[in-house]
Amino acid sequence: MIRTLRIAACMTLTGVFIPSLLSAQLGSYNPRPGPQGVFAITGGHIFPGNGPEIANGTVVITNGKITAVGANVTVPTGAKVIDAKGLSVFPGMMETANGLGLAEITEGVNATVDNIESGRLNPNEQAFFGFDPHSAYVGTTRFTGITSVVSAPEGGLISGQAALMNLAGDTPPEMAVVPRVAMVINLPSGGRGGRGGGGGFGGAAGGANTSSADLDSIKTILRNADAYGRELEAYAKDKTLPRPQHDVVLASLIPAVRGEMPVMIPANSTTEIRAAVAFAEEMKLKPILVGGRDAWKVTDYLKQHDVPVILTSVMAMPAREDDPYDVNYSAPAKLAAAGVRFAIAAGEPNPDIRNLPFVAGMAASFGLSRDDALKSVTLWPAQIFGVGDKLGSIEVGKMADLVVSDGDLLEARTNTKYLFIDGRQVPLDNMNSAMYNMFKDRP
Amino acid sequence: MKQPMILAAIALTAATTLHAQAARESGDPSTEWPSWTAPAPTPGHRATAPILIRNATVMTVTKGTLDNTDLLLDNGKIARIGKGLFAPAGAVTIDGTGKFVTPGIIDVHSHTMMDAVNEGSRSVTSMVRVRDILNNTAPAIYDELAGGTTTIHVLHGSANTIGGQDAVVKLKWGRPVDEMIFPGAMPGIKFALGENVTGKNNSTVIVQGQPQAPRRYPQSRMGQEEVIRDEFTRAIDYKADWDDYNARVSKGEKGLVAPRKDLELEPIKEILEGKRLIHSHSYRADEMLMLLELSDEFHFHVAVLHHGLEGYKIASEMAKHGTGLSTFADMWGYKVEAYDAIPYNAAITTSHGVVTTINSDDDGRARRLNIDAAKLMRWGGMSENDALKTITINGAIQLGVEKKVGSIETGKDADVVVWSGDPLSVYSRVESTIIDGEVFFDREKDIARRDSIATERAALEKEDAQMNPRTGGGGGSRGGNGAVPGNPGAEEIHQ
């Protein structure tokens, strides 16, 4: 807060008027996106993410949706034209294991850390309601071409519900693609690997140190939720039955126990992975494993059970002394070869999840095809979270989350030129660039 | 496995004892506690066959990028650079067609090979030395080699205002520590400023045996200034005592009593004499300026501000003091003092003439500093060569070894990396890493060895079927020793 005041004072004294900086407080420099409308991105090299590249193509966006893609597309009259000649057009990327918007400065500033709740069974906590649209990391994250995130609560046994958010907007309702996209459950000994272990979520670890008694309490509340759901249904059909008492905690679990809402379960070792899959089958849940460090060792098992994995450990140090140096770099290639569904996540704290594209690039330098590397951060995470029809590729009918860059999306040296989220053009300024502009000309 | 370790330990102890004994007999107090300011006794290169890398893109860093060029490494040095070079008898030839060669990467801020980083009991622990506890079996050495890193600057942690004395190391995996120490590198010392010293953002600073004790002095940046001022004030007196004593001895006076040796002030005195470099952990512009102002007042030089996340705010002041910056490419926001950090930092300081490097501060990131360097082209628009400098020659300058490493020039140490493609592309991979003309990492050989490692592991597991299998919680870091290729094995002295 003190830093904030300093910035504001500096602006006032020098008489420079930058509205968004004047209102600055801890984490609030994200310029607002423009309105929806009709846009035509012309002449770019299009990487649709679900099919062949188009060397010289046009994408038309109409009121938030992609309405045309191809080499011979007519630019609608009145469209705002973005000249992408010499540039490349990619689907926006999705980061799927973090606490963006929920936790800002995790070391030493507890007041900014809202991704972990007290208590152990908190299925009714919703990331959607704790998400700060003005977190400074929203602006810096989208700068590298990440257009949406699955932001998840951590801690306890059942941490709460993750939200799938587009990274542009003034309020969570404007940003939410799916406000309640997945339930987060931590199984005994499941969860966060320390250094070298590959993490679960990339943010501040709130890992539960659990026991088998805790497994019982998870199962009990899931069974109670299932029973409660059937009770509600029965009462809806037959009002002569006793009216069930409202229970917000159990109610929040009903979509999960019915397999309508996926459940994110941190799991890294093969033991944890098998335990998580077995647990999900027993409780009839729809699992998404998070972490997945050793998933490459049990590809047959994962394929057989058709369980997807969010890999957060690509950049992690090898966990065992006799692991090859590139064990984690090459894991995505092994999953792809085996046909296991997966997505790559940055595995970094919230400020650094903007490194996601480079993580996918690293996987590509160790055996994953470049095409699959792109899909692992675009289409595949969208499909895993049930929004494959809305996000993850440049297709007619999909939400217009697009990046226009001067080179390969996954290269660190590439520059982002234009960004669209939900069909709105997003300014590329962010807190980092604001500080850059403030100081770059200081003699 | 245990036998050689014990023998090694005995040998080490014996050598140390002999050394100390000799020192006592000679009556020279300065050799009793050996100074590592002298070059290591057994430096450098072991005799190997010459290596000829043919037809590669050679990024010399200081002399441009040369296409379709050959590079001859002989007798531990870069012998020739040119086209159509002749392979001497017995030379190993590497086909560099389509590949890139760069100088070995230099990581100016590392904690690799340290099993513990902070002596956290006091805020000034200038007497402790990284050199004494280097663990040459740390698997991260090999992992970093596999990322093209050849030289690291190993520093104490940042819990103390003055943390201790550093070590510059070549990552010669499998060799004794003495052979890894970089001969002739400038000795340095770690200073630290800001939140890590006050301990306000974590619990790392705990007074031993007193977990409930109040936090240690200093608790503010004001206190940090005072601690450093006090240290230099005393060191100036200490130096004067010794200067006076030495002057009288050289005049031939007899029967003098030497001043008492102070292990805490000795390295500070070396700073005042220009024999030891200050490497200071720092974040905020104000604390960096504080140290620079102190340096003016006490007439010492601050060699490098490490991390220096707000270096961009005082780039001209740093340039004026001739102080270098060793920063992160893009990390920020994890604590308050990192909130104004920007990925444009290195571009701004470089444009002001500050010698700037990108460091890892982390075993994992030390394996991919090439990607961190590439980020500088995006944030701040640095040229490819300037970006590459931040992980090669600039690091050599900051450590005082620029005449030996950091660029590909005839006569320099043969520390080079062969990449599958442009090293600033995420799609490129290290093919081989060479130090002093010896190959310490070779991807093809690494892959070829994997089957035998798997077989060995299976055999070991079968042998001890009663052993409780490690099911792994989140998985810990790699400790102990074993089958990492080339590991000399068995040494757990530090555990």
Side-chain angles (χ1 to χ4, degrees):
Chain A
M1 199 56 75
I2 289 162
R3 331 269 291 135
T4 300
L5 292 174
R6 208 170 60 190
I7 295 171
C10 164
M11 289 298 103
T12 312
L13 285 172
T14 54
V16 177
F17 184 75
I18 303 175
S20 35
L21 267 180
L22 275 180
S23 65
Q25 54 184 344
L26 188 68
S28 66
Y29 192 85
N30 297 313
R32 303 184 59 237
Q36 288 183 338
V38 184
F39 299 90
I41 302 165
T42 61
H45 189 113
I46 301 170
F47 294 78
N50 67 330
E53 297 165 26
I54 302 158
N56 179 0
T58 293
V59 181
V60 178
I61 299 168
T62 311
N63 298 327
K65 292 278 195 295
I66 296 166
T67 47
V69 188
N72 302 303
V73 167
T74 313
V75 174
T77 46
K80 188 185 173 199
V81 175
I82 307 283
D83 181 7
K85 197 167 168 53
L87 303 175
S88 300
V89 187
F90 295 92
M93 290 176 279
M94 187 188 294
E95 155 67 34
T96 48
N98 67 86
L100 192 76
L102 303 178
E104 201 74 1
I105 299 178
T106 52
E107 282 180 47
V109 194
N110 283 339
T112 67
V113 181
D114 286 328
N115 63 333
I116 298 170
E117 191 43 88
S118 60
R120 316 198 79 188
L121 298 164
N122 296 311
N124 46 328
E125 305 300 342
Q126 296 182 34
F128 171 77
F129 288 115
F131 191 95
D132 176 8
H134 310 293
S135 160
Y137 310 143
V138 166
T140 56
T141 299
R142 68 192 184 197
F143 181 79
T144 61
I146 298 163
T147 50
S148 60
V149 297
V150 172
S151 186
E154 292 185 53
L157 298 173
I158 301 184
S159 313
Q161 298 165 56
L164 171 51
M165 310 294 278
N166 262 333
L167 292 184
D170 300 324
T171 66
E174 280 175 32
M175 301 168 83
V177 181
V178 184
R180 287 158 286 276
V181 75
M183 185 68 71
V184 178
I185 297 182
N186 298 300
L187 295 181
S189 89
R192 291 126 196 121
R195 178 184 163 279
F201 297 96
N209 187 9
T210 53
S211 69
S212 60
D214 294 326
L215 183 60
D216 284 345
S217 43
I218 298 171
K219 287 182 176 176
T220 301
I221 195 172
L222 292 176
R223 291 196 180 104
N224 288 346
D226 187 39
Y228 179 60
R230 280 185 275 115
E231 217 179 321
L232 287 175
E233 257 179 13
Y235 177 73
K237 281 183 197 149
D238 180 357
K239 299 284 189 208
T240 66
L241 291 170
R243 182 167 54 81
Q245 293 294 301
H246 287 295
D247 189 321
V248 290
V249 176
L250 293 181
S252 68
L253 278 169
I254 293 173
V257 296
R258 288 183 174 171
E260 295 157 10
M261 170 191 271
V263 176
M264 298 170 79
I265 309 175
N268 276 306
S269 70
T270 56
T271 312
E272 288 169 357
I273 290 170
R274 287 176 189 275
V277 173
F279 162 80
E281 294 207 331
E282 181 189 344
M283 304 311 295
K284 299 189 174 60
L285 306 174
K286 193 172 159 191
I288 298 171
L289 303 186
V290 181
R293 184 194 66 213
D294 293 343
W296 61 274
K297 290 186 174 179
V298 287
T299 50
D300 288 350
Y301 180 79
L302 289 168
K303 180 104 171 74
Q304 184 194 334
H305 294 266
D306 191 28
V307 173
V309 182
I310 307 294
L311 280 177
T312 62
S313 49
V314 175
M315 291 302 206
M317 292 290 277
R320 284 163 295 262
E321 172 132 357
D322 56 347
D323 277 337
Y325 80 95
D326 60 358
V327 62
N328 294 324
Y329 298 151
S330 61
K334 289 174 185 158
L335 297 192
V340 174
R341 293 193 287 140
F342 73 95
I344 290 176
E348 297 255 29
N350 295 337
D352 300 326
I353 61 177
R354 60 181 171 190
N355 284 325
L356 177 68
F358 324 138
V359 179
M362 183 60 99
S365 68
F366 285 87
L368 190 66
S369 74
R370 291 191 190 193
D371 199 34
D372 283 354
L374 182 61
K375 284 181 178 156
S376 73
V377 290
T378 53
L379 187 59
W380 292 347
Q383 289 169 340
I384 289 170
F385 283 90
V387 290
D389 59 335
K390 286 197 180 110
L391 293 175
S393 60
I394 304 179
E395 282 181 82
V396 171
K398 283 196 170 180
M399 195 176 255
D401 283 13
L402 302 170
V403 198
V404 182
S405 62
D406 66 0
D408 190 312
L409 185 66
L410 307 186
E411 289 277 21
R413 58 191 175 185
T414 292
N415 260 295
T416 308
K417 292 293 185 187
Y418 303 100
L419 193 61
F420 284 86
I421 297 180
D422 195 18
R424 304 165 76 186
Q425 191 173 353
V426 178
L428 292 169
D429 293 340
N430 54 63
M431 182 174 156
N432 290 166
S433 63
M435 298 304 289
Y436 175 58
N437 289 328
M438 209 185 289
F439 284 92
K440 69 180 163 63
D441 297 324
R442 180 177 181 263
Chain B
M1 288 296 250
K2 289 280 176 204
Q3 198 71 6
M5 170 196 105
I6 292 164
L7 288 176
I10 291 169
L12 189 69
T13 312
T16 312
T17 309
L18 282 174
H19 184 82
Q21 197 178 351
R24 272 193 297 275
E25 281 164 8
S26 76
D28 177 358
S30 68
T31 56
E32 205 165 307
W33 194 69
S35 166
W36 297 108
T37 58
T42 54
H45 162 74
R46 288 189 183 188
T48 47
I51 297 173
L52 180 64
I53 304 166
R54 279 195 195 282
N55 197 34
T57 302
V58 179
M59 303 176 88
T60 69
V61 175
T62 45
K63 312 265 180 191
T65 294
L66 313 168
D67 295 328
N68 308 319
T69 297
D70 301 347
L71 194 63
L72 178 66
L73 314 177
D74 195 10
N75 198 26
K77 303 288 177 198
I78 295 168
R80 290 194 70 186
I81 307 163
K83 290 184 197 282
L85 293 188
F86 176 73
V92 176
T93 302
I94 297 174
D95 180 10
T97 307
K99 295 176 182 171
F100 283 61
V101 181
T102 65
I105 291 173
I106 298 170
D107 183 0
V108 182
H109 193 113
S110 173
H111 304 295
T112 301
M113 299 174 73
M114 293 187 81
D115 295 337
V117 293
N118 285 306
E119 169 50 57
S121 54
R122 298 165 58 185
S123 199
V124 176
T125 54
S126 47
M127 66 296 276
V128 304
R129 305 182 300 186
V130 168
R131 172 65 179 78
D132 294 331
I133 51 89
L134 285 172
N135 175 6
N136 64 339
T137 67
I141 297 168
Y142 185 78
D143 295 327
E144 291 173 24
L145 272 172
T149 302
T150 53
T151 294
I152 60 172
H153 182 212
V154 191
L155 292 161
H156 284 98
S158 49
N160 301 354
T161 310
I162 302 180
Q165 301 166 39
D166 66 359
V168 182
V169 169
K170 286 203 184 192
L171 292 177
K172 294 188 173 182
W173 177 241
R175 294 293 162 74
V177 168
D178 276 354
E179 283 187 41
M180 298 173 81
I181 298 291
F182 200 128
M186 269 297 279
I189 189 164
K190 170 84 170 267
F191 281 35
L193 309 167
E195 289 178 22
N196 288 13
V197 180
T198 60
K200 286 179 176 171
N201 55 12
N202 56 41
S203 55
T204 58
V205 182
I206 295 170
V207 178
Q208 198 167 8
Q210 302 177 50
Q212 301 305 318
R215 289 196 192 104
R216 190 191 63 192
Y217 185 91
Q219 278 299 292
S220 69
R221 287 175 168 85
M222 297 181 289
Q224 287 164 13
E225 191 269 356
E226 188 276 334
V227 165
I228 299 168
R229 173 181 296 277
D230 178 63
E231 199 66 18
F232 276 99
T233 303
R234 290 192 291 123
I236 283 170
D237 283 349
Y238 179 70
K239 181 175 178 299
D241 289 349
W242 273 99
D243 288 349
D244 185 43
Y245 169 75
N246 289 331
R248 291 170 68 182
V249 166
S250 66
K251 277 184 204 154
E253 283 190 44
K254 303 285 178 199
L256 295 169
V257 178
R260 182 178 170 277
K261 202 80 163 177
D262 188 320
L263 300 189
E264 179 184 320
L265 292 176
E266 195 64 22
I268 311 300
K269 174 170 156 284
E270 289 173 357
I271 295 169
L272 292 168
E273 291 165 346
K275 294 178 186 165
R276 186 173 289 280
L277 302 178
I278 293 178
H279 292 274
S280 183
H281 164 112
S282 54
Y283 275 76
R284 259 170 44 183
D286 52 352
E287 68 197 20
M288 291 189 260
L289 270 182
M290 173 271 278
L291 188 61
L292 294 180
E293 299 212 348
L294 271 178
S295 77
D296 287 343
E297 189 179 334
F298 286 89
H299 305 292
F300 63 84
H301 176 58
V302 180
V304 184
L305 290 166
H306 285 244
H307 310 327
L309 300 181
E310 293 185 9
Y312 67 94
K313 295 182 180 175
I314 52 161
S316 48
E317 285 84 349
M318 289 182 67
K320 200 179 89 196
H321 282 83
T323 296
L325 177 74
S326 186
T327 189
F328 297 130
D330 59 352
M331 276 178 53
W332 75 298
Y334 41 94
K335 50 185 167 177
V336 174
E337 64 184 2
Y339 206 57
D340 275 6
I342 59 174
Y344 308 86
N345 192 20
I348 293 180
T349 55
T350 298
S351 74
H352 281 76
V354 175
V355 174
T356 301
T357 57
I358 298 300
N359 67 54
S360 76
D361 197 12
D362 171 74
D363 292 353
R365 198 173 300 108
R367 304 171 303 156
R368 50 177 188 278
L369 282 170
N370 61 316
I371 296 179
D372 273 355
K375 290 170 185 171
L376 308 182
M377 298 169 70
R378 173 184 218 139
W379 282 286
M382 279 172 73
S383 71
E384 183 171 72
N385 202 57
D386 278 354
L388 197 56
K389 278 182 176 177
T390 66
I391 55 170
T392 55
I393 190 68
N394 288 1
I397 294 168
Q398 291 182 347
L399 301 175
V401 291
E402 73 274 20
K403 291 196 173 117
K404 298 188 172 185
V405 294
S407 64
I408 296 183
E409 294 178 63
T410 311
K412 279 197 165 184
D413 293 357
D415 292 13
V416 302
V417 185
V418 181
W419 302 80
S420 62
D422 186 337
L424 295 173
S425 166
V426 291
Y427 299 121
S428 297
R429 222 180 26 225
V430 171
E431 299 284 326
S432 50
T433 306
I434 299 167
I435 303 177
D436 287 336
E438 291 183 67
V439 178
F440 281 89
F441 169 77
D442 182 288
R443 181 164 160 84
E444 274 181 30
K445 284 186 185 152
D446 180 285
I447 291 169
R449 262 195 298 254
R450 291 180 189 183
D451 283 346
S452 68
I453 289 165
T455 310
E456 186 184 349
R457 180 185 171 85
L460 287 168
E461 284 176 348
K462 202 174 166 188
E463 195 173 299
D464 194 357
Q466 299 303 315
M467 192 176 71
N468 191 25
R470 276 197 287 171
T471 51
S477 62
R478 293 196 289 177
N481 299 283
V484 177
N487 190 327
E491 189 177 331
E492 293 191 78
I493 291 169
H494 304 294
Q495 296 178 17

